[in-house]
């Protein structure tokens, strides 16, 4: 549990506060994420790009920021991350892809 508490210190304010107030829920959520990550053959870089693409498709600015931040920490380039936004154009449309690009730019410029 001590590890879970220290991990919450790196979270943005709102989810960090939720995690501190609801440690059992946060631990279960973290365990689910880890189990899903371990459930298949994708390498870590591919998993990060897929998660970014899902965040882009869901139009979740916070999740896009989170996956961009993590991707940069894991060695992905700004160009690789921006490519996800470009790939989303035919599926979610130009305006939504440009919104995602601006969210990626928030952390890569």
């Amino acid at each position: 549990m001590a590890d879970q508490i220290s991990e919450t210190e790196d979270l943005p304010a709102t989810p960090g506060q939720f995690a501190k107030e609801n440690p059992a829920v946060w631990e279960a959520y973290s365990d689910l994420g880890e189990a899903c990550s371990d459930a298949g053959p994708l390498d870590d870089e591919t998993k990060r790009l897929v998660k970014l693409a899902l965040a882009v498709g869901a139009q979740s600015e916070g999740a896009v920021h989170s996956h961009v931040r993590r991707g940069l920490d894991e060695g992905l380039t700004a160009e690789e991350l921006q490519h996800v936004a470009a790939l989303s154009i035919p599926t979610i449309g130009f305006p939504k892809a440009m919104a995602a690009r601006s969210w990626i730019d928030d952390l890569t410029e």
Side-chain angles (χ1 to χ4, degrees), residues 62-90:
V64 168
H65 284 164
S66 176
H67 291 296
V68 168
R69 190 177 305 107
R70 292 177 191 180
L72 292 169
D73 288 346
E74 294 164 0
L76 290 170
T77 67
E79 293 78 17
E80 290 169 321
L81 298 166
Q82 286 293 359
H83 192 194
V84 172
L87 289 169
S88 74
I89 293 170

Side-chain angles (χ1 to χ4, degrees), residues 5-97:
I5 301 281
S6 66
E7 289 176 13
T8 64
E9 294 170 3
D10 295 331
L11 293 171
T14 300
Q17 185 63 36
F18 178 86
K20 288 176 185 175
E21 293 170 357
N22 302 279
V25 174
W26 180 254
E27 184 175 352
Y29 176 71
S30 296
D31 289 347
L32 176 61
E34 187 175 330
C36 292
S37 182
D38 294 343
L42 297 178
D43 61 72
D44 290 341
E45 181 177 301
T46 302
K47 286 188 270 189
R48 179 63 55 216
L49 292 170
V50 167
K51 287 181 162 196
L52 175 58
L54 291 167
V56 166
Q59 288 289 276
S60 175
E61 182 178 2
V64 168
H65 284 164
S66 176
H67 291 296
V68 168
R69 190 177 305 107
R70 292 177 191 180
L72 292 169
D73 288 346
E74 294 164 0
L76 290 170
T77 67
E79 293 78 17
E80 290 169 321
L81 298 166
Q82 286 293 359
H83 192 194
V84 172
L87 289 169
S88 74
I89 293 170
T91 304
I92 66 171
F94 191 81
K96 289 180 179 180

